[in-house]
Amino acid sequence: MTKYDILADMTSTLVAREAGSQWIVVPGVSISTKATAIDAGGAYAGRSLVIEGKVASSAGNGIVLGASTIAAKAGEFTVKDTGTVSAKLAGLTAAGNELVITVQGTLSGGTAAGVFTGANLKFTNRGSVLSSDGLGVKATGNNVLVNNSGLLKSADDAVTVSGTTAIINNDGHIQSTAADGIRSAGLKAIVTNNGTIDSKLDAITVT
């Protein structure tokens, strides 16, 4: 795996389009743009993005990762406890099968914190996943796993899943200030709550 450390601040888009590569935004470094801050789109499997610094888009998406055509190992994305991702639109948009998303710091977006498309997603939040105006986490695909032991807070639905099977484990705090806490539009959802689900409308709803 080819490794790239981002060691200096950037005010233009970082293009991370290389299969089997790792990209690390080190602590204290920022990527701040009006457009997409990190473009890791495209059908390049096996990439890893690690955010230890700051990534921000004032008018677009924070980070775009993968493509729906990736059949396996679409990518790994980690926000470390020192890291922040923020955006006017979605904080992270990722597509492809077998995505692994881990948040230990902060992931936030205006329209959504995270939007994911593909089967066998593994999403883990131990930090803060936030959207002041939109969705928290939206996952479309079969066999989705969502583990939350941090804060997942949004205006719209906090967690939305669809597909044949979804497993949602909450040991933290899931909150929607204007809509539902957890919404499942799939055939089968297993929800285990050992934390708090706080919502304006339904805590858990199946459609």
Side-chain angles (χ1 to χ4, degrees):
M1 175 178 283
T2 304
K3 179 181 175 183
Y4 299 93
D5 291 329
I6 311 305
L7 302 174
D9 292 348
M10 295 179 60
T11 56
S12 59
T13 301
L14 171 65
V15 179
R17 292 187 168 223
E18 181 181 326
S21 58
Q22 183 180 51
W23 304 75
I24 302 173
V25 181
V26 303
V29 169
S30 70
I31 300 175
S32 182
T33 70
K34 289 184 178 180
T36 299
I38 298 179
D39 177 6
Y44 305 94
R47 281 174 296 179
S48 171
L49 301 179
V50 180
I51 311 301
E52 298 176 338
K54 177 182 178 182
V55 174
S57 172
S58 60
N61 294 312
I63 298 171
V64 175
L65 172 63
S68 60
T69 55
I70 301 177
K73 298 182 179 179
E76 297 184 3
F77 173 82
T78 304
V79 183
K80 295 289 192 178
D81 56 3
T82 58
T84 63
V85 177
S86 62
K88 176 72 172 181
L89 301 179
L92 171 65
T93 300
N97 293 344
E98 299 181 355
L99 288 162
V100 178
I101 312 295
T102 304
V103 179
Q104 299 166 342
T106 301
L107 173 65
S108 65
T111 58
V115 178
F116 312 118
T117 304
N120 303 311
L121 165 72
K122 294 182 179 178
F123 176 88
T124 301
N125 176 43
R126 302 187 189 97
S128 297
V129 174
L130 310 170
S131 179
S132 58
D133 298 317
L135 297 163
V137 171
K138 181 179 181 180
T140 303
N142 298 331
N143 302 319
V144 167
L145 174 63
V146 176
N147 291 317
N148 179 59
S149 57
L151 173 63
L152 206 166
K153 181 179 180 181
S154 63
D156 208 335
D157 298 334
V159 178
T160 302
V161 295
S162 60
T164 56
T165 303
I167 298 174
I168 302 168
N169 299 312
N170 179 44
D171 294 297
H173 190 175
I174 293 176
Q175 182 179 16
S176 172
T177 59
D180 298 324
I182 297 172
R183 173 179 289 272
S184 173
L187 297 177
K188 181 180 180 181
I190 300 171
V191 179
T192 302
N193 180 42
N194 293 307
T196 300
I197 302 175
D198 176 18
S199 60
K200 178 72 172 181
L201 301 179
D202 296 327
I204 302 171
T205 187
V206 178
T207 59

